[in-house]
Amino acid sequence: MSAGEGIASARLGNWIEGFEGDAAERGQTRAQWELLRIHWAGKKQGVVRGLLEEIKRIEPEQRRAYGEDVNRFKEHVERRLSAIDAALAAREREAARRAAAVDVTLPGRRPALGSLHPVTLVIAEMEQIFAEMGYSVAEGPEVEDDYHNFEALNFPADHPARDTQDTFFLEDGLLLRTHTSPVQIRTMLARRPPIRVICPGRVFRNDNDLRHSPMFHQVEGLAVAEGITVGHLKGTILAFMRRLFSPETDIRMRPSFFPFTEPSAEVDVTCQNCRGQGCEVCSGTGWMEILGCGMVDPRVLAGCGIDPDVYSGFAFGMGVDRVAMNRYGIPNIRLLFDNDERLLRQVRG
Ligand code: PHE
């Protein structure tokens, strides 16, 4: 090795060392690599560029050796920059792959399963009990006419009982049914006795507070045959309430008035909250008011073409929402219809 080459190699060694020191620090991220590249290999101000320009100031006899060193240094810098670039690219691909990969150790997301609404559950339960007693289910329209909702049920046009119904009137003499009793009429007009039906459905009244919603649910019952008495009515309701609530449940009947039944009664059942002891739910009485009923008025039977001298019948109608609230401990009727999934999840049957 000549002295000249030795000097040249030492010089090259220093350049490489300087570059490598910088590359070790700045070769870690893409942004730093970019600065490294500009500093060393930049076309205008890069270190290599500067060294190439230096050549003019080198003694002519040194130029060849110097030029070779600069070229070797240039190659070194380019090779190392592209090696670091490749390593960074591999790391970037790996990071992207990981970000996109499925982590099979994570707990899965459960699909939200639908569930039946508390009111639907209670109606299904009521239908089941009556089905076992030989009743079938009848349905009718929610938009009714005056005839089926009032007239045929013995509410004459100027009868004060109409005021108690808080009716939503629509156009053309139509209205939102205020009770499920029009389904009694539709059934009796369509079928001959013996009749045993229950009619569950939505009803509407212009009433809105903690205990009343303008839309609520009733289940109506109707039995018409020869020889039906108040005893059948009472026995049916008692048997039903004991199945719905508990075998110890009792009922009491209080005289009442409905235009379409005579006699009429309201039925209370043992308060399910206190088992009849008296509590805030039943205002200390031990009873919950739950149902209206009576013997179908002969005028109503006759109006539907059923001979009241041959046939008699009973009818009853009850609110479903109160039963659902009672059963699932829901304090405010509006909670039933807000469609808050948290409530539906709690009462999942
Ligand atoms: N339709 C009455 C109401 O909504 C309830 C009822 C039905 C009463 C059947 C007697 C017989 O209040």
Side-chain angles (χ1 to χ4, degrees):
M1 194 195 280
S2 74
E5 274 175 25
I7 291 163
S9 292
R11 176 174 55 204
L12 178 59
N14 283 341
W15 289 343
I16 289 177
E17 205 177 300
F19 170 79
E20 287 298 334
D22 200 16
E25 257 175 56
R26 299 214 265 189
Q28 304 306 318
T29 68
R30 176 64 58 190
Q32 289 289 317
W33 176 87
E34 198 59 37
L35 294 176
L36 183 73
R37 186 189 64 75
I38 290 166
H39 179 73
W40 294 93
K43 295 252 180 314
K44 286 188 186 137
Q45 316 253 329
V47 172
V48 172
R49 171 86 205 166
L51 291 175
L52 279 168
E53 279 179 7
E54 256 329 271
I55 212 159
K56 301 181 286 230
R57 287 187 275 281
I58 300 291
E59 297 294 322
E61 63 276 19
Q62 298 284 327
R63 272 190 197 155
R64 199 182 127 88
Y66 178 85
E68 274 173 14
D69 278 356
V70 173
N71 275 328
R72 280 162 66 188
F73 181 53
K74 184 169 182 267
E75 274 165 29
H76 177 87
V77 168
E78 282 168 358
R79 199 172 54 244
R80 291 283 293 125
L81 281 175
S82 70
I84 296 170
D85 177 34
L88 284 172
R91 245 201 271 162
E92 282 158 7
R93 273 196 306 277
E94 174 65 11
R97 192 189 62 77
R98 270 193 212 181
V102 174
D103 181 349
V104 294
T105 66
L106 281 178
R109 250 180 251 147
R110 284 181 191 280
L113 289 182
S115 60
L116 293 175
H117 191 274
V119 168
T120 307
L121 290 170
V122 169
I123 289 178
E125 208 179 324
M126 291 176 171
E127 286 178 354
Q128 175 63 27
I129 298 169
F130 280 111
E132 289 169 20
M133 295 193 212
Y135 285 69
S136 55
V137 175
E139 284 184 340
E142 290 168 9
V143 173
E144 267 294 3
D145 52 29
D146 186 273
Y147 173 76
H148 292 92
N149 196 78
F150 290 124
E151 197 72 34
L153 287 160
N154 205 25
F155 287 83
D158 52 359
H159 196 285
R162 288 192 176 207
D163 287 351
T164 65
Q165 301 271 318
D166 297 312
T167 312
F168 286 113
F169 290 100
L170 308 172
E171 289 171 354
D172 302 324
L174 297 174
L175 45 84
L176 294 179
R177 67 178 178 193
T178 59
H179 50 180
T180 40
S181 301
V183 189
Q184 280 184 44
I185 301 302
R186 290 182 177 277
T187 304
M188 288 191 285
L189 286 170
R191 288 169 50 177
R192 297 297 90 195
I195 293 170
R196 266 183 296 188
V197 290
I198 57 162
C199 323
R202 288 192 191 97
V203 300
F204 306 85
R205 289 187 200 183
N206 192 359
D207 208 353
N208 202 3
D209 60 36
L210 281 188
R211 290 157 59 81
H212 297 89
S213 147
M215 184 282 299
F216 57 104
H217 299 80
Q218 287 187 336
V219 166
E220 184 98 357
L222 172 72
V224 181
E226 287 179 56
I228 295 234
T229 67
V230 177
H232 295 122
L233 169 60
K234 187 174 179 190
T236 301
I237 291 173
L238 183 61
F240 167 73
M241 292 302 174
R242 289 189 168 166
R243 275 289 309 278
L244 185 66
F245 294 116
S246 70
E248 303 81 47
T249 299
D250 241 325
I251 63 170
R252 72 174 181 185
M253 297 175 91
R254 286 179 289 108
S256 184
F257 174 81
F258 300 104
F260 41 95
T261 49
E262 181 59 35
S264 303
E266 265 174 88
V267 177
D268 300 335
V269 299
T270 312
C271 175
Q272 298 300 306
N273 191 50
C274 61
R275 307 273 157 202
Q277 299 306 299
C279 67
E280 68 279 9
V281 172
C282 58
S283 314
T285 63
W287 297 98
M288 303 193 309
E289 184 188 320
I290 200 156
L291 179 146
C293 65
M295 301 305 291
V296 182
D297 192 297
R299 278 177 58 111
V300 173
L301 291 176
C304 295
I306 294 174
D307 185 350
D309 292 330
V310 180
Y311 298 104
S312 57
F314 64 73
F316 55 86
M318 65 189 138
V320 177
D321 314 270
R322 294 268 170 83
V323 175
M325 288 163 70
N326 181 271
R327 168 120 339 159
Y328 299 107
I330 299 166
N332 175 343
I333 191 165
R334 250 167 284 171
L335 287 171
L336 280 179
F337 307 121
D338 281 349
N339 275 337
D340 188 328
E341 276 187 44
R342 290 170 302 178
L343 177 112
L344 298 178
R345 244 178 268 135
Q346 275 179 37
V347 301
R348 181 162 292 167

